[in-house]
Amino acid sequence: MGRHTEVVARASRIREAANALILRELERHGVKGLVPSHGSLLCLLYAETNVSMCVLAERLHRTRPTVTVLVDKLVALGYVTREQDPGDRRVTWVRLTDAGRALLPVFEAVSDTLDGAVRRGLSDAEAATLEELLRCVQENLEA
């Protein structure tokens, strides 16, 4: 197996392990129904209070149908609302509910645990180098 395929295989295993850690942590915090793919969407909504479906899809690098499925699940769980713009019916806004905002401390705790696991045994310089190398690989693959 070539080095390049080992990198991709290792990245896949890292993603699987990270997702498993996230699910364990959510369960430990008593959060049911959320999955790792909700994390990026919630992160955007914690940063901005009002985001359109179109912008969510753009920023998450996901298709609109995929974002619709994610948002539908978060609506069903009571973490977000979806409302059509009264001035432009083509625009749908997504906002956190009180329950979604109350989830922020758990979101931050899970993120801190994941970050700690990723950085364990690495110096700050090594972690920065790893992030830069991964950014380069991602850019190469997306080019």
Side-chain angles (χ1 to χ4, degrees):
M1 183 183 292
R3 282 188 191 177
H4 61 283
T5 53
E6 178 61 26
V7 169
V8 173
R10 191 169 298 279
S12 178
R13 290 192 302 273
I14 290 168
R15 180 182 173 141
E16 289 170 8
N19 285 347
L21 183 148
I22 291 166
L23 290 171
R24 283 193 310 273
E25 286 298 304
L26 288 171
E27 184 177 324
R28 190 173 71 78
H29 286 279
V31 176
K32 298 193 185 319
L34 286 183
V35 294
S37 57
H38 291 126
S40 296
L41 194 151
L42 288 170
C43 189
L44 280 172
L45 292 174
Y46 288 131
E48 298 179 43
T49 56
N50 199 30
V51 184
S52 73
M53 292 285 286
C54 182
V55 168
L56 281 174
E58 238 174 65
R59 292 199 188 152
L60 295 175
H61 306 285
R62 304 274 189 219
T63 64
R64 285 186 188 183
T66 298
V67 171
T68 298
V69 169
L70 292 170
V71 169
D72 285 349
K73 178 70 181 241
L74 291 172
V75 168
L77 291 168
Y79 295 127
V80 302
T81 61
R82 180 181 23 211
E83 300 166 15
Q84 283 190 317
D85 188 305
D88 185 348
R89 305 290 288 169
R90 297 170 296 171
V91 177
T92 301
W93 297 101
V94 180
R95 295 180 181 91
L96 289 167
T97 62
D98 289 342
R101 283 186 291 280
L103 194 61
L104 179 58
V106 171
F107 183 86
E108 290 173 334
V110 171
S111 294
D112 288 347
T113 299
L114 179 61
D115 190 57
V118 167
R119 294 173 174 268
R120 190 175 305 124
L122 299 176
S123 68
D124 288 344
E126 290 168 329
T129 299
L130 176 61
E131 288 175 15
E132 177 63 18
L133 291 170
L134 291 172
R135 184 191 60 74
C136 288
V137 170
Q138 179 184 357
E139 287 177 1
N140 290 343
L141 291 171
E142 292 176 346

